[in-house]
């Protein structure tokens, strides 16, 4: 599978890059502000490619959401976005500072391209503004984001959607069907001390990085959630794209709340029976796939194996 990864590294993004490079033909990466600012996410993306010895171009993208002020996730991901991992001096630089042009050009020029977005959807929304036909040129569009149940950054909103709800609304409306790999499924695939020990045992720089960021995340989770296992949301989203047969999904109208005082950033999934929706509306809300469940052990193993192979 040919894949472009739009990301905001980010602890779990770092592992996702390694997993994507292992199971897919990772054609390129674009960065977006999210877990930390755009300078950091771009630098981190380059650092991960360097540590893993990946020859993948990194294109810098949006530094702020479509509306409002940037938010960040440094409380969880640390000030650098990669916890306390020691990062090398870079021997490479970004391929361009125009992620949007890269996304539009690549979607048109590469056959069977799959786009996987694991950060706020700003770049994807801007690309849709430039090329309203973007979705037609993609074989698939998968996002890590949203939830049809509880949120993580607010009671109802997941971080990536909440960080740029206007962008997410554009994507769900204009680029459906999207495969929404949200908290419904990603929270099920958790990693504990045993998995990080296995990663560290590989003894390679990339596996060490994966172990470092997973350990850091576990520390933060212990602090904030009181749990010693953590989901690697973005890595699970990669496996959804590369191993779709392992996941259960169903198609539902989804709209993004951009106005609610308490519910801004919520992915509002219409789970009513289709006949009822047809009878009483609202009509015309674009439908996307909600990924609900998976073979948790198989996905966890695929992620660890990818890291061990780096
Ligand atoms: C998502 O938010 C970010 O903090 C993670 O990298 C992931 O993409 C999970 O809600
Ligand atoms: Ca992310």
């Amino acid at each position: 599978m040919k894949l472009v990864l739009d990301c905001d590294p980010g602890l779990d993004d770092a592992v996702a890059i390694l997993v994507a490079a292992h199971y897919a033909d990772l054609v390129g990466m674009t960065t977006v502000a999210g877990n930390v600012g755009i300078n950091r996410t771009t630098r981190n993306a380059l650092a991960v490619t360097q540590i893993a010895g990946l020859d993948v171009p990194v294109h810098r993208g949006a530094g702020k959401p479509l509306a409002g002020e940037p938010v960040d996730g440094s409380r969880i991901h640390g000030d650098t976005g990669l916890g306390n991992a020691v990062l090398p001096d870079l021997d490479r630089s970004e391929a361009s500072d125009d992620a949007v042009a890269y996304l539009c050009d690549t979607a048109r020029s590469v056959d069977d391209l799959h786009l996987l977005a694991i950060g706020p959807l700003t770049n994807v929304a801007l690309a849709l503004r430039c090329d309203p036909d973007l979705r037609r040129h993609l074989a698939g569009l998968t996002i890590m984001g949203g939830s049809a149940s509880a949120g993580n950054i607010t009671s109802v909103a997941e971080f990536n959607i909440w960080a740029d709800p206007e962008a997410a609304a554009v994507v769900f409306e204009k680029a459906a069907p999207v495969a929404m790999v949200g908290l419904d499924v990603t929270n099920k695939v958790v990693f504990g001390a045993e998995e990080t020990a296995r990663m560290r045992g590989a003894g390679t720089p990339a596996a060490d990085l994966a172990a470092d960021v997973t350990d850091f995340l576990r520390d933060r989770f212990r602090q904030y959630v009181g749990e010693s296992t953590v989901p690697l949301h973005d890595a699970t989203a990669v496996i959804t794209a590369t191993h779709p047969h392992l996941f259960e999904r169903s198609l539902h109208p989804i709209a993004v709340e951009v106005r609610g005082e308490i519910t801004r950033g919520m992915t509002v999934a219409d789970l009513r029976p289709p006949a009822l929706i047809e009878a009483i509306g609202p009509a015309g809300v674009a439908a996307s796939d909600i990924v609900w469940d998976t073979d948790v052990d198989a996905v966890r193993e695929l992620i660890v194996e990818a890291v061990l192979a780096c």
Side-chain angles (χ1 to χ4, degrees):
M1 161 187 276
K2 293 198 182 89
L3 192 72
V4 167
L5 190 64
D6 184 66
C7 58
D8 63 332
L11 303 167
D12 54 336
D13 299 74
V15 180
I17 294 168
L18 303 177
V19 175
H22 185 67
Y23 292 117
D25 175 2
L26 186 54
V27 173
M29 284 160 49
T30 49
T31 57
V32 65
N35 287 320
V36 282
I38 190 64
N39 288 339
R40 293 276 197 194
T41 59
T42 305
R43 192 195 186 286
N44 291 346
L46 289 164
V48 175
T49 63
Q50 183 171 319
I51 290 167
L54 303 174
D55 186 15
V56 177
V58 173
H59 297 263
R60 172 189 292 251
K64 57 183 173 56
L66 296 190
E69 291 305 307
V71 292
D72 80 33
S74 56
R75 209 167 6 164
I76 295 290
H77 296 261
D79 289 340
T80 70
L82 289 182
N84 50 17
V86 179
L87 301 175
D89 290 336
L90 290 179
D91 66 10
R92 54 191 67 201
S93 51
E94 59 206 56
S96 86
D97 64 358
D98 197 345
V100 172
Y102 172 76
L103 288 174
C104 292
D105 293 349
T106 313
R108 280 182 184 256
S109 61
V110 175
D111 287 339
D112 289 327
L113 186 71
H114 200 111
L115 175 57
L116 171 58
I118 57 175
L121 290 166
T122 322
N123 289 335
V124 185
L126 290 171
L128 281 160
R129 211 181 256 176
C130 276
D131 182 357
D133 276 343
L134 179 80
R135 181 67 182 85
R136 256 191 335 109
H137 299 292
L138 294 171
L141 173 58
T142 300
I143 67 148
M144 189 286 127
S147 168
S149 43
N152 58 2
I153 190 75
T154 74
S155 57
V156 293
E158 180 280 330
F159 177 83
N160 288 339
I161 306 297
W162 175 82
D164 194 343
E166 279 74 14
V170 169
V171 171
F172 277 98
E173 191 186 329
K174 310 249 190 256
V178 173
M180 180 175 103
V181 188
L183 302 175
D184 314 290
V185 64
T186 60
N187 271 338
K188 294 179 180 170
V189 187
V190 292
F191 295 75
E194 186 189 329
E195 285 77 32
T196 41
R198 282 178 67 198
M199 292 177 190
R200 208 170 289 290
T204 64
D208 275 348
L209 174 69
D212 286 347
V213 298
T214 310
D215 272 344
F216 188 90
L217 197 54
R218 284 176 51 238
D219 274 352
R220 292 291 154 118
F221 254 60
R222 245 192 306 268
Q223 191 180 330
Y224 288 117
V225 192
E227 281 173 18
S228 58
T229 57
V230 287
L232 295 174
H233 306 280
D234 294 341
T236 294
V238 173
I239 302 295
T240 315
T242 59
H243 298 69
H245 60 282
L246 292 175
F247 295 81
E248 286 172 24
R249 63 191 80 204
S250 55
L251 194 67
H252 302 275
I254 300 178
V256 177
E257 175 60 87
V258 293
R259 278 188 288 269
E261 277 176 32
I262 302 172
T263 53
R264 182 167 156 81
M266 178 182 185
T267 41
V268 182
D270 197 338
L271 304 180
R272 295 173 297 164
L276 186 60
I277 298 175
E278 203 175 311
I280 62 176
V285 179
S288 279
D289 269 323
I290 300 175
V291 180
W292 294 105
D293 209 353
T294 190
D295 180 338
V296 168
D297 291 338
V299 174
R300 189 189 294 113
E301 194 56 28
L302 283 165
I303 292 169
V304 173
E305 275 171 14
V307 168
L308 296 185
C310 288

